[in-house]
Amino acid sequence: MTNLLIRAFIKKSDPAEPKTRSAYAFLASITGILLNLLLFAGKLTVGILSFSVAVIADAFNNLSDAGASVVTLIGFRLSNKPVDKEHPLGHGRFEYISGFIVDMLIVLVGFELLTSSIDKIVNPSTPEVGKWTFILLGAAILIKLWLFFFYRKIGKIISSASLKASAADSLSDCGTTALVALASLCAAFGWAKGVPIDGIAGIVVACLILFTGVKAAKETIDLLLGSPPDKKFIDGIYAFTKGYPEIVGIHDVMVHDYGPGRQIVSFHAEVPSDCNINYAHEVIDKMERDMFEKFNCIVTVHLDPITVNDKKVNEMRCFAEACAKEICKDFSIHDFRMTQGEKHTNLIFDLLVPTDCKIKVDQAVKQVAETIKAKNPDCFAVIKGEHPFV
């Protein structure tokens, strides 16, 4: 069914193109809106007729899903606006903002349903459950299960965090509706006499909705604040640069995320200091163009000339790195330079301290400098400590 809808409504095959990506998002959003509104109307009708707060709670859960699809659709449309004077890097983060609005709507619905369910426990009443309740709930589970696979596939095609979140929400909705069906079954056959099973089920449903909303909100906030880029993406950058023999190594890799498909990458590329500077610049320019085609992102590379053919410098670089790893095996150094003075030798380099390291940056710098001094009193370390950006 999913493949049939894609063939029918998606004319172009390249999901990296903004118009194609928008078409996928439009298809997913409209499908979600229509199906969730249908489920809302059916469950609300049955819930009111049967006096079941659990079914009504599940109905409003579907209404919040429909609202989420509307906001997602608006977010996709706004994120595709072209750059302007006020937003020279585009409007891609509208997709994240719309996702956060959706998350807050889910939390609001969950809170409202929680208060209604508590009232149902305080003032209990037995719901009048009929066969249509079970037919509707069974159909809802099947529809939500299909929506899970539908959202997941399109989310993977266009790399959309919001659609992947919708897929996870649809799967949790299957469990929520199954719980409501179980509570309705208990009420229908009198298996929980004297127990406000309907209100209890409503509370569980509300808590599941709240959990989903808060979890999704945290993930969206992480994207807005700046979460680490995908490890495969970073590994791909390192592997790609190895295809240029003139590049000795790279460091200080930074990835700025301005929305899906709108990434800006920058890093320092190390080249031998004795190579022709104009030739090295040509290599860097070519690499930037090649990476744009490969990774579909803007790339800016800073050229770092380093000494690679001086035996003494190489020995001291290895010595400094060994001293750093003696403090912590995960430490690494880059931008190494050496200046020879009359009384001592300056070892100048950057020290990279992992973000999860228990040793603070300033402490790490001090310990590495002291280790170098202790092992070679003629050396003086000038160290700049920093955390990695990826």
Side-chain angles (χ1 to χ4, degrees):
M1 183 65 177
T2 301
N3 291 332
L4 181 63
L5 288 172
I6 290 175
R7 287 195 298 269
F9 293 98
I10 308 298
K11 304 304 179 183
K12 295 182 180 180
S13 58
D14 185 7
E17 293 183 4
K19 288 185 178 180
T20 305
R21 193 172 186 276
S22 181
Y24 272 106
F26 181 79
L27 172 62
S29 299
I30 291 297
T31 303
I33 292 169
L34 294 176
L35 290 178
N36 279 302
L37 284 178
L38 182 64
L39 290 174
F40 166 71
K43 289 179 183 179
L44 183 64
T45 302
V46 170
I48 292 174
L49 293 177
S50 62
F51 305 103
S52 173
V53 70
V55 176
I56 294 174
D58 203 23
F60 277 96
N61 184 27
N62 290 136
L63 181 62
S64 71
D65 291 341
S69 295
V70 172
V71 177
T72 298
L73 180 60
I74 295 172
F76 268 102
R77 288 298 178 89
L78 291 176
S79 68
N80 283 323
K81 289 177 61 179
V83 299
D84 53 37
K85 185 178 179 180
E86 289 76 21
H87 308 93
L89 295 171
H91 301 77
R93 285 181 177 168
F94 262 124
E95 189 173 331
Y96 299 154
I97 295 172
S98 66
F100 182 72
I101 294 172
V102 168
D103 301 335
M104 291 298 98
L105 287 174
I106 293 173
V107 171
L108 180 61
V109 169
F111 181 76
E112 289 296 325
L113 295 178
L114 181 63
T115 56
S116 300
S117 299
I118 292 174
D119 181 69
K120 188 72 172 182
I121 292 177
V122 175
N123 303 294
S125 61
T126 304
E128 300 175 4
V129 181
K131 64 178 182 179
W132 287 108
T133 301
F134 298 108
I135 292 173
L136 179 63
L137 293 178
I141 292 173
L142 293 176
I143 291 172
K144 278 294 185 177
L145 189 60
W146 178 80
L147 273 175
F148 161 70
F149 290 109
F150 175 71
Y151 282 139
R152 187 178 68 169
K153 181 165 186 174
I154 294 184
K156 286 182 178 180
I157 291 174
I158 64 174
S159 299
S160 169
S162 59
L163 289 182
K164 290 177 182 177
S166 296
D169 183 50
S170 295
L171 189 61
S172 69
D173 286 348
C174 291
T176 300
T177 304
L179 179 63
V180 173
L182 179 62
S184 299
L185 195 65
C186 291
F189 290 92
W191 293 342
K193 289 184 178 179
V195 178
I197 187 68
D198 190 51
I200 294 173
I203 287 178
V204 174
V205 170
C207 289
L208 287 173
I209 294 172
L210 285 170
F211 174 78
T212 300
V214 171
K215 182 174 180 292
K218 180 185 178 303
E219 292 172 354
T220 307
I221 289 172
D222 287 342
L223 289 171
L224 289 169
L225 289 178
S227 57
D230 183 66
K231 187 177 183 299
K232 289 183 179 179
F233 180 71
I234 298 301
D235 290 344
I237 290 176
Y238 275 91
F240 189 82
T241 58
K242 289 180 180 179
Y244 297 81
E246 300 84 0
I247 306 299
V248 178
I250 66 172
H251 59 266
D252 284 349
V253 180
M254 300 180 68
V255 179
H256 304 274
D257 186 353
Y258 291 93
R262 298 169 178 84
Q263 292 177 315
I264 297 177
V265 178
S266 66
F267 57 85
H268 292 208
E270 298 169 350
V271 299
S273 58
D274 56 359
C275 75
N276 183 285
I277 192 68
N278 291 322
Y279 174 69
H281 188 267
E282 288 178 6
V283 172
I284 294 296
D285 279 348
K286 184 179 185 306
M287 185 169 64
E288 289 177 341
R289 293 192 298 269
D290 293 344
M291 291 186 72
F292 176 78
E293 294 179 2
K294 172 70 175 179
F295 298 102
N296 191 34
C297 58
I298 298 172
V299 181
T300 302
V301 181
H302 173 77
L303 189 150
D304 263 353
I306 64 169
T307 303
V308 296
N309 297 318
D310 188 304
K311 183 179 179 181
K312 182 64 176 177
V313 172
N314 290 338
E315 288 177 355
M316 296 309 292
R317 181 189 294 111
C318 293
F319 167 68
E321 187 151 25
C323 290
K325 289 189 176 296
E326 187 174 311
I327 305 301
C328 177
K329 64 181 179 62
D330 295 322
F331 285 178
S332 63
I333 69 172
H334 58 79
D335 275 351
F336 183 89
R337 289 175 290 137
M338 186 178 81
T339 59
Q340 192 76 42
E342 292 184 4
K343 296 183 178 181
H344 63 262
T345 300
N346 289 325
L347 305 183
I348 308 164
F349 58 89
D350 292 350
L351 176 68
L352 197 64
V353 181
T355 51
D356 58 353
C357 182
K358 293 181 179 179
I359 306 174
K360 294 182 179 180
V361 172
D362 55 346
Q363 294 175 341
V365 168
K366 182 179 179 181
Q367 290 180 32
V368 173
E370 290 175 347
T371 302
I372 290 174
K373 189 69 175 177
K375 290 182 177 293
N376 191 334
D378 293 332
C379 289
F380 180 78
V382 181
I383 306 172
K384 176 189 174 185
E386 59 184 18
H387 286 306
F389 299 109
V390 296

